[in-house]
Amino acid sequence: MGSIKDRVAIIGMGCTNFGNSWDKSPNDLIVEAAYEAFEDAGMNVNDMEAAWFSSFFCPPGLTGQPLAKALKLPYIPVTRVENACASGTDALRNASYAVAAGIYDVALVLGVEKLKDNGLMGLPDAEMWLNMWGSHDNTYRCTTASGPAQYAQMATSYFAKHNIDPREGKEILARIEVNNHRNGALTPKAQFRREVTLDTVMKAPIIAAPLGLYDCCGISDGAAAAIIVPAEKAKNYRNDPIYIKAMQIAVGPCNGIMNPEYDYAHVEETVKAAKAAYAEAGITNPREQVSLANVHDCFSITQLVTMEDLLFSERGKAGDDVKSGFFSLEGGLPVNTDGGLKCFGHPIGASGIRMMYEMYTQLQGKAGKRQIKDPKIGVTHNLGGIPGSASVSVGIVSKDLG
Amino acid sequence: MAGITSYGAYIPLIRLARAEIAKAWGGWGLPGEKAVANYDEDAVTMAVAAAIDCTKGFDLNQIDGIYFASTSAPYIEKQCSALIAQVLNLDNRVSTMDFGGSLRSGTNALRAALDAVNSGSANNILVCAADVRPAYPKGDKEFSFGDGAAAIMVGKDNIIAEIEGVFTQYNELMDIWRSDKERYVNSWESTFIYSKGYAPVIAKTVAGALEKYNLKPEEFKAVAFNSPNSRQLGSAVRMAGFDAKTQVNDILNPSVGDTGSAMAMMALVAELEEAGAGDRLLMANYGDGCDVLIIKGTDKLADITDRRGIKKHLASKQMISNYNRYLLWRGEVNTEPPRRVPLERPSPAALLRDNKGGLGFFGVKCTSCKTVQYPAQRICMKCRSKDLFEDYCFADKLGKVAAFSHDSLGVSLDPPITGATIDFEGGGRIKLDMTDRDPKAVSVGMSVEMTFRKLRYVNGVYDYWWKCRPQRS
């Protein structure tokens, strides 16, 4: 099996403000993200040789055309990628492979989502998922509980497994969100830019017990873009490209929701993707070697177990690292430095590329008030689906080759 | 001769104190409480529950008929007995029939089953009756109607109660009715309907039956009548010549209510629970006339011991907290639609493919590595064998909660939705909704049993599946 390590580089990125973009269409969001990336790379649309487009809810069947239409791409190949919340990272992965294969010298990756036009609470995917988990496709015979409730179940079982008092467990989860909000407040493009107190998080209305309002990320409109070139040509475009060290995705066979062996206190797909990514990048001690990580905090409990699944914390001990501030901007391994999904926002197809945008910004030393000191290695993580049935991507990047 | 070979019943867990109705509307109401179908229950799900109770320890392959009786069947055109037969995973050669149109439909079905077995066209027929009758809010029927179901197996072998006689009269009378254009049950003024219907009609039919079979009221241990309320039951019992103090036990009116086409059968089940060999019972079921059955217990009656029946179901209950919730469950209140994705109608093609998996609750067991899994797979999740499976039913298995949450975002008539991941004794895991639960009492590791419920109703299609619930004591 081959490796993507040090074979491609990102030399330009763009990201819109995430949030309730009432005044912008998907077209507007695509153009804004793409043109920021073009400008950042010193390129224009005619330099793009191929494109990968990620979107979950851009109506299916529209192919790659929404991207071509918005940017007036000159009849170049556009591949649309959908892997739920891991769509953006998977688009990045596929573009990287095409460039590493030597087929293209410049590839555009762009993810977009326009979720706020439908006026719904939560994601519009409930009915689709019921098909996946139910007794049979298209019968809707399935638990009727919402997406957040599926993650909430992981909280109850995690607490039970590790003998954590539910009240204490809820407080650990709340501390995660206090930190995400602290980081989000320092991030100009984030959707929620306000610090919150532990008390506010603890007393917020319940969405799916034990998860409250602040334990759940919002949903947002937004787009993010990246330009990929072969690693050896990266310095032709800029002095501070970032190099891809690993790009892995693990797609689960729905095992955890059918198999009692799954403990519902971790995400097996994350464990698998992380193991493969660390091997690909040559990382042997993630807790020590990784400078920062942006992980899929769709819910606070997801962020907690991901700290263990990514081998940052020992099993059952992530809460201790949360309490000690290990994952804060000043800590040993800052996580969700831009506020994460919770505060930056979560336009599904754009999220993985947005995480990479933060790695790019931090590794280039341009993160302003939230800049961490001299980062070397960044990790991104996306989780599409639910615990027990997920598509998980793990990406690793560095500012250095070798 | 055909006789009764088993019995079962179902009373919903939820009860509404009649005082709550009186409190909401002011004024006077009946005392006691009534059994209320949960928001996810209807005549079919309750009939299934009674059928499961009745067939405990019974070889389902021996059943060759399912008769279903109700005045409140979920479909006007579409057979519920076929649905129930599929839920029980019975052979397609089983004879399915629906009976309706009258409170007498329960005993109509029972009579038809006796005739079929006596004629030799069937050996074992499971008769189930269930009702969730729609009553006008604020009306007297809202106080008196209750929800419930009963099931009686009719067969030739191992008879627990003989049928000594059957006698029927019809009585064309506009006393209680619901037209095809009406939502609620109607009735004419009570002095008229009780002087020309109910008690005098029961009395006349019972008199005819006693004369035909040359029996006297004192030769009966007890009677099992359907009744609109306790007072009318007392009148009917006395008018028919029985002693209201010693020969009738009015269990249902005070604590369950008038359960319509299921009531006489439920009353009979209650009496069978108390009866022994040689005890004679008189069952009378009024509705557009009256069916009378004369029943005598055999020495095998004592063999039926593990039914939840009436007594255990009655004891296991949970009071609904207020009348508003009851109205909401019944669809009597239009609340603001949730800002969630509209529900989609299940595909009839998909439902057909899912008959065994979804209705019968069958998964598979890998014949190679023995791993139990739901839903049915083509490739084993454990050993990756292809198509090496045998059927495996989850409907009768107990499970334990591996994880749960109480969801306030998802749409339900009884929020929060308690979603749970259930690990089954004997293997297998399924994510299910939990019903009939007290959210505060749900915990990781608690024991649950399976219950057949209405999952959703979309554009004219009822979608049934299974849920878990805390084990009923």
Side-chain angles (χ1 to χ4, degrees):
Chain A
M1 208 186 291
S3 164
I4 196 68
K5 185 183 179 188
D6 290 338
R7 293 173 69 180
V8 299
I10 301 175
I11 52 105
M13 289 203 79
C15 185
T16 66
N17 289 343
F18 283 9
N20 302 323
S21 305
W22 311 124
D23 300 325
K24 286 174 186 164
S25 70
N27 252 26
D28 297 325
L29 297 168
I30 290 171
V31 168
E32 281 182 29
Y35 273 70
E36 186 189 335
F38 294 155
E39 192 179 324
D40 181 46
M43 289 181 161
N44 66 52
V45 67
N46 292 319
D47 295 321
M48 303 301 121
E49 296 176 3
W52 274 260
F53 173 62
S54 58
S55 188
F56 193 12
F57 292 109
C58 224
L62 290 186
T63 74
Q65 291 175 68
L67 182 68
K69 176 188 81 165
L71 298 177
K72 295 292 168 285
L73 293 176
Y75 295 92
I76 61 171
V78 181
T79 303
R80 179 167 170 162
V81 177
E82 190 275 294
N83 233 329
C85 300
S87 300
T89 304
D90 207 13
L92 202 56
R93 185 177 72 97
N94 281 278
S96 297
Y97 290 174
V99 170
I103 311 295
Y104 304 113
D105 276 337
V106 182
L108 171 68
V109 182
L110 191 141
V112 68
E113 219 68 69
K114 183 72 188 161
L115 295 171
K116 301 298 291 188
D117 277 6
N118 65 21
L120 299 175
M121 286 168 66
L123 289 174
D125 65 343
E127 293 290 281
M128 290 161 27
W129 282 111
L130 294 184
N131 270 332
M132 175 87 169
W133 306 329
S135 64
H136 204 293
D137 288 351
N138 304 323
T139 62
Y140 303 101
R141 285 173 179 156
C142 176
T143 172
T144 60
S146 69
Q150 309 306 323
Y151 283 87
Q153 288 196 28
M154 187 158 68
T156 56
S157 54
Y158 181 91
F159 298 158
K161 175 167 179 148
H162 298 299
N163 282 322
I164 298 169
D165 174 74
R167 169 93 197 163
E168 189 201 342
K170 187 156 170 68
E171 189 179 316
I172 291 169
L173 298 182
R175 286 185 189 282
I176 289 174
E177 299 306 355
V178 167
N179 193 56
N180 285 343
H181 271 264
R182 186 171 164 247
N183 296 349
L186 302 174
T187 308
K189 289 182 175 178
Q191 180 170 12
F192 297 107
R193 303 196 55 216
R194 191 170 58 84
E195 293 199 30
V196 293
T197 65
L198 194 64
D199 196 49
T200 303
V201 178
M202 295 285 285
K203 289 182 179 161
I206 291 296
I207 300 295
L211 303 180
L213 182 63
Y214 287 90
D215 291 295
C216 309
C217 79
I219 56 171
S220 336
D221 303 326
I227 295 168
I228 314 283
V229 300
E232 65 273 17
K233 296 183 181 168
K235 291 276 168 106
N236 300 346
Y237 298 99
R238 67 184 312 136
N239 288 327
D240 54 357
I242 67 167
Y243 299 98
I244 290 180
K245 299 288 178 182
M247 237 350 122
Q248 291 290 340
I249 184 157
V251 177
C254 237
N255 183 66
I257 66 173
M258 291 172 55
N259 190 346
E261 285 171 20
Y262 170 53
D263 66 0
Y264 229 109
H266 79 290
V267 175
E268 187 62 22
E269 290 85 349
T270 301
V271 172
K272 294 276 195 301
K275 191 177 170 200
Y278 291 141
E280 187 170 34
I283 288 174
T284 51
N285 185 345
R287 186 179 171 97
E288 296 298 322
Q289 290 172 268
V290 175
S291 314
L292 77 159
N294 257 19
V295 304
H296 202 82
D297 59 313
C298 49
F299 303 95
S300 52
I301 182 64
T302 325
Q303 184 165 340
L304 187 73
V305 302
T306 300
M307 297 302 96
E308 299 174 12
D309 294 340
L310 290 177
L311 306 176
F312 297 162
S313 302
E314 307 240 329
R315 283 276 165 231
K317 303 286 186 207
D320 295 344
D321 284 331
V322 168
K323 284 186 261 184
S324 75
F326 185 68
F327 302 123
S328 68
L329 285 180
E330 303 78 17
L333 203 174
V335 170
N336 291 347
T337 49
D338 59 2
L341 300 173
K342 173 67 190 79
C343 293
F344 202 113
H346 188 23
I348 312 294
S351 278
I353 306 169
R354 180 274 301 170
M355 291 182 183
M356 199 53 83
Y357 180 76
E358 174 67 1
M359 295 298 120
Y360 184 79
T361 309
Q362 288 277 359
L363 290 169
Q364 290 176 341
K366 297 174 180 169
K369 286 180 186 166
R370 66 182 192 283
Q371 180 65 47
I372 67 164
K373 197 165 160 262
D374 196 25
K376 298 266 191 313
I377 301 236
V379 168
T380 67
H381 160 265
N382 297 106
L383 196 170
I386 57 164
S389 175
S391 298
V392 171
S393 62
V394 173
I396 303 178
V397 290
S398 170
K399 60 183 176 182
D400 303 313
L401 283 168
Chain B
M1 281 289 282
I4 294 172
T5 56
S6 183
Y7 62 78
Y10 179 74
I11 299 169
L13 178 74
I14 311 296
R15 312 294 154 81
L16 174 64
R18 291 185 171 118
E20 285 289 330
I21 306 176
K23 199 163 82 186
W25 298 116
W28 177 90
L30 286 173
E33 58 202 43
K34 63 183 226 160
V36 172
N38 208 332
Y39 75 98
D40 54 3
E41 293 184 295
D42 64 13
V44 164
T45 67
M46 295 198 303
V48 166
I52 289 172
D53 192 41
C54 179
T55 54
K56 231 173 263 170
F58 208 91
D59 178 7
L60 293 180
N61 293 320
Q62 301 302 313
I63 296 175
D64 43 19
I66 294 282
Y67 292 0
F68 168 74
S70 182
T71 64
S72 54
Y75 288 106
I76 290 172
E77 181 167 343
K78 171 146 189 24
Q79 202 183 44
C80 296
S81 49
L83 173 60
I84 293 165
Q86 186 68 61
V87 173
L88 299 175
N89 193 43
L90 303 184
D91 189 276
N92 284 104
R93 284 169 294 188
V94 163
S95 165
T96 57
M97 295 187 200
D98 281 10
F99 295 75
S102 169
L103 296 185
R104 204 145 52 91
S105 57
T107 42
N108 290 164
L110 202 51
R111 283 205 60 166
L114 291 165
D115 288 347
V117 172
N118 279 330
S119 77
S121 76
N123 292 316
N124 297 289
I125 295 179
L126 179 59
V127 178
C128 11
D131 250 329
V132 187
R133 291 163 79 204
Y136 280 103
K138 205 183 171 182
D140 60 340
K141 295 178 201 62
E142 186 179 49
F143 284 97
S144 60
F145 285 4
D147 307 326
I152 286 177
M153 187 81 80
V154 172
K156 275 193 283 218
D157 303 323
N158 295 316
I159 287 171
I160 60 163
E162 295 164 4
I163 306 295
E164 290 189 325
V166 177
F167 191 79
T168 290
Q169 292 195 347
Y170 82 86
N171 186 48
E172 168 55 22
L173 176 71
M174 289 296 288
D175 56 350
I176 297 165
W177 70 92
R178 181 156 66 100
S179 81
D180 59 344
K181 295 178 177 56
E182 281 172 309
R183 179 167 172 181
Y184 303 108
V185 175
N186 285 285
S187 58
W188 200 252
E189 61 137 330
S190 57
T191 48
F192 169 74
I193 67 176
Y194 294 136
S195 65
K196 292 295 176 187
Y198 193 63
V201 176
I202 289 183
K204 196 169 150 227
T205 317
V206 168
L210 296 183
E211 188 188 347
K212 179 177 171 187
Y213 293 101
N214 197 23
L215 289 164
K216 295 189 187 67
E218 53 269 29
E219 293 177 76
F220 290 84
K221 175 175 184 259
V223 298
F225 295 177
N226 72 323
S227 54
N229 55 52
S230 297
R231 199 172 148 208
Q232 289 304 320
L233 176 62
S235 299
V237 168
R238 281 189 298 272
M239 226 182 269
F242 296 93
D243 180 358
K245 285 201 177 73
T246 59
Q247 285 180 293
V248 65
N249 190 1
D250 184 16
I251 294 175
L252 297 174
N253 283 304
S255 37
V256 178
D258 172 2
T259 54
S261 61
M263 192 177 194
M265 279 168 61
M266 290 174 76
L268 177 66
V269 169
E271 291 304 336
L272 287 172
E273 286 174 345
E274 302 298 328
D279 285 341
R280 186 175 279 130
L281 306 170
L282 187 134
M283 178 190 198
N285 191 20
Y286 174 82
D288 309 284
C290 183
D291 287 340
V292 170
L293 284 87
I294 297 168
I295 295 157
K296 193 161 94 177
T298 74
D299 53 2
K300 292 202 166 58
L301 187 51
D303 296 345
I304 309 278
T305 52
D306 54 354
R307 301 292 183 268
R308 285 182 180 172
I310 297 298
K311 211 192 288 176
K312 286 184 187 161
H313 273 126
L314 204 54
S316 156
K317 67 174 182 178
Q318 187 178 306
M319 302 306 293
I320 190 168
S321 55
N322 64 57
Y323 177 68
N324 289 357
R325 269 175 86 204
Y326 164 78
L327 282 185
L328 198 63
W329 290 1
R330 288 296 160 97
E332 304 294 354
V333 190
N334 257 333
T335 54
E336 186 174 359
R339 296 201 178 281
R340 296 283 287 170
V341 195
L343 298 183
E344 291 195 19
R345 183 160 65 174
S347 154
L351 292 178
L352 174 67
R353 292 195 294 275
D354 200 42
N355 270 350
K356 190 161 195 172
L359 297 178
F361 214 27
F362 274 82
V364 289
K365 183 175 189 176
C366 177
T367 54
S368 175
C369 75
K370 311 296 176 207
T371 302
V372 168
Q373 37 213 307
Y374 186 91
Q377 302 290 306
R378 296 292 305 276
I379 310 294
C380 175
M381 71 173 180
K382 180 114 181 183
C383 72
R384 264 74 177 175
S385 298
K386 178 171 173 287
D387 294 330
L388 291 178
F389 295 109
E390 60 190 35
D391 293 336
Y392 186 89
C393 186
F394 286 87
D396 56 350
K397 304 292 185 299
L398 297 177
K400 282 202 177 348
V401 172
F404 71 94
S405 79
H406 301 298
D407 177 24
S408 304
L409 180 64
V411 182
S412 168
L413 286 175
D414 188 31
I417 299 169
T418 300
T421 301
I422 304 303
D423 291 347
F424 286 80
E425 61 172 18
R429 163 179 286 186
I430 311 177
K431 288 173 84 90
L432 295 166
D433 285 354
M434 190 185 293
T435 190
D436 288 355
R437 85 288 175 242
D438 169 10
K440 287 190 288 296
V442 178
S443 63
V444 170
M446 78 184 282
S447 257
V448 292
E449 62 188 6
M450 300 303 114
T451 175
F452 184 73
R453 296 295 168 112
K454 184 172 63 180
L455 200 58
R456 53 161 78 186
Y457 173 74
V458 192
N459 295 338
V461 176
Y462 288 95
D463 198 359
Y464 296 94
W465 198 45
W466 293 78
K467 294 185 178 182
C468 64
R469 71 161 173 226
Q471 268 185 281
R472 273 184 85 165
S473 48

